[in-house]
Amino acid sequence: NIAMAAQMTDAHRRFLQALMSHGIMEGSEARKLHRRCCEIHKVYYAHDKLDDFISTINSHLQPLFMQIRKGMSEADGRAHYALVNLAETEITKMASDYTENELELFRKTMDLIISSENGFASSTDILNLADQLKTKKMKKKEAEQVLKVFVEDKWLSERNGEYTLHTRCIIEMEQYILSNYQDVARKCNICHSLAIQSQVCESCGTGMHLPCVRKYFRAQTEPRCPKCNDFWSCDIP
């Protein structure tokens, strides 16, 4: 395996440290960082070799049960890179940072988001859950503060009082969500990764990310479902 044989250099180590401190990085930032690390440590740099550079790091992270994974922002379709811990399920990993009732609020928020039609849950609906927690009830003010922390820590994203899962959360928790929400979680028919904010074919239930919908139907005058060929009735974003 060529990737296994590739040596970790100080450029790789610097890249990994920067990614660890950010948790997640947008594709263009990762490309800039790749270039900077190679220049600082005088290592061969090729602008189109970021994924090879990352797979070298991943081959050395493997024994540590960690991996840099690539994912997509559901809002704009941009690539992102996140460092993922494969040894623990993500909810147990969160347990070291949050109290039991904060975790329960997160789980219930995730339930709402994943089972919703558009991949969002309103702050009103989430805050109504705060006094129904089994672990320990939460006052609404307290719950608002906890939601703010989830946004700061990049587990949730918020837009006009509506919450969805942050790109980092989706990259980290994809396997967890697909296995724990088998009835409602769906993969995008185009890019085959987990789709939280998606459009769904009314005829066959095929789902697609909004950026994938945009790309797929760009050249079509009459949008038809890629699976059943029925007319795509949702508004193309």
Side-chain angles (χ1 to χ4, degrees), residues 155-211:
W155 294 110
L156 297 176
S157 292
E158 185 267 340
R159 201 169 67 211
N160 307 325
E162 298 270 315
Y163 289 84
T164 189
L165 301 184
H166 192 283
T167 307
R168 173 198 171 181
C169 180
I170 294 172
I171 294 174
E172 294 222 13
M173 294 208 184
E174 180 165 12
Q175 290 322 116
Y176 174 88
I177 291 168
L178 288 170
S179 54
N180 285 275
Y181 294 89
Q182 287 175 2
D183 300 342
V184 283
R186 62 172 68 87
K187 284 188 172 188
C188 172
N189 191 67
I190 303 300
C191 70
H192 308 294
S193 55
L194 174 67
I196 302 293
Q197 296 172 49
S198 60
Q199 287 187 354
V200 178
C201 172
E202 284 182 359
S203 305
C204 71
T206 292
M208 291 199 271
H209 285 123
L210 305 186

Side-chain angles (χ1 to χ4, degrees), residues 79-200:
H80 284 70
Y81 293 87
L83 186 65
V84 177
N85 182 340
L86 308 171
E88 311 168 23
T89 67
E90 287 66 19
I91 294 275
T92 52
K93 192 171 60 194
M94 289 176 75
S96 55
D97 298 324
Y98 308 104
T99 62
E100 272 184 50
N101 65 336
E102 288 170 351
L103 275 183
E104 192 187 346
L105 184 69
F106 180 78
R107 276 199 197 92
K108 285 184 179 297
T109 302
M110 198 148 87
D111 292 345
L112 283 178
I113 290 168
I114 293 167
S115 55
S116 72
E117 280 189 7
N118 63 354
F120 282 90
S122 72
S123 57
T124 313
D125 288 346
I126 298 169
L127 295 174
N128 286 340
L129 299 170
D131 55 6
Q132 299 166 27
L133 300 179
K134 289 188 180 73
T135 41
K136 184 182 160 216
K137 290 179 174 40
M138 232 186 244
K139 291 191 173 71
K140 285 202 170 151
K141 269 270 169 278
E142 199 186 334
E144 278 173 359
Q145 203 46 49
V146 172
L147 283 176
K148 216 170 146 185
V149 172
F150 286 144
V151 170
E152 281 165 13
D153 292 349
K154 298 177 181 148
W155 294 110
L156 297 176
S157 292
E158 185 267 340
R159 201 169 67 211
N160 307 325
E162 298 270 315
Y163 289 84
T164 189
L165 301 184
H166 192 283
T167 307
R168 173 198 171 181
C169 180
I170 294 172
I171 294 174
E172 294 222 13
M173 294 208 184
E174 180 165 12
Q175 290 322 116
Y176 174 88
I177 291 168
L178 288 170
S179 54
N180 285 275
Y181 294 89
Q182 287 175 2
D183 300 342
V184 283
R186 62 172 68 87
K187 284 188 172 188
C188 172
N189 191 67
I190 303 300
C191 70
H192 308 294
S193 55
L194 174 67
I196 302 293
Q197 296 172 49
S198 60
Q199 287 187 354
V200 178

